[in-house]
Amino acid sequence: MRLDRPRVAPLAEAELGPDHRAMLGDRFRSGNILNIFRTLIKAPKAFKAFMWWGGYILSDHNELPPRERELVILRTGYNWKSGYEWAQHVRIGKDCGLTDDEIARIKLGPDADGWTAIESAMLRATDELTKDSFISDATWADLAELSEKQKMDLVMTVGQYTQVSMMLNSFGVQLDDDLVLDPDLKA
């Protein structure tokens, strides 16, 4: 975590009015509202657009299989040192089939032992995008197993979670109570 307290404080339960609750929708009617959403909803129009685009990235319209999508999201969050993003998506990644060993290897990157050729290429593409905003010709060629749409979705997924990481880090969104900060992502 880059900050030990928020720069933009999330809305407290008592501050969530009917308009906020309507924007949050059914998903949060009976469950806990995550700090990311309690923070971003302070900019309501941006929140609505963010939720629409983020919904695409996490939906079946994104043609990356969920496990591979989470591989890319976790590497993006790790590269941007986003403790919140990492902690949230470790849980989601496990639900999508990633193992504890694979999650540990994501931190080691594309050259760690155990990745398939396409997994390594996807991690390398993520590293290139988070370093230089560009996938090299060599890495693009290594992604040949992916369809054109899947390659587009890979770039869009890294882009979305780059933005998310920047917001989380800069706004100082703190971990939700049920999350644990990875020791490798302490400031």
Side-chain angles (χ1 to χ4, degrees), residues 53-82:
W53 179 241
Y56 167 81
I57 295 296
L58 293 176
S59 76
D60 292 339
H61 298 293
N62 181 338
E63 292 184 13
L64 292 176
R67 181 186 167 282
E68 285 70 21
R69 179 196 70 218
E70 291 303 317
L71 186 81
V72 167
I73 291 170
L74 282 164
R75 185 64 181 171
T76 301
Y78 186 77
N79 286 351
W80 291 122
K81 303 203 181 319
S82 180

Side-chain angles (χ1 to χ4, degrees), residues 22-43:
M23 278 191 289
L24 289 164
D26 291 335
R27 177 178 176 196
F28 297 107
R29 294 248 188 268
S30 60
N32 186 33
I33 302 169
L34 304 176
N35 285 338
I36 183 175
F37 301 128
R38 287 179 180 274
T39 302
L40 295 181
I41 205 163
K42 292 178 95 170

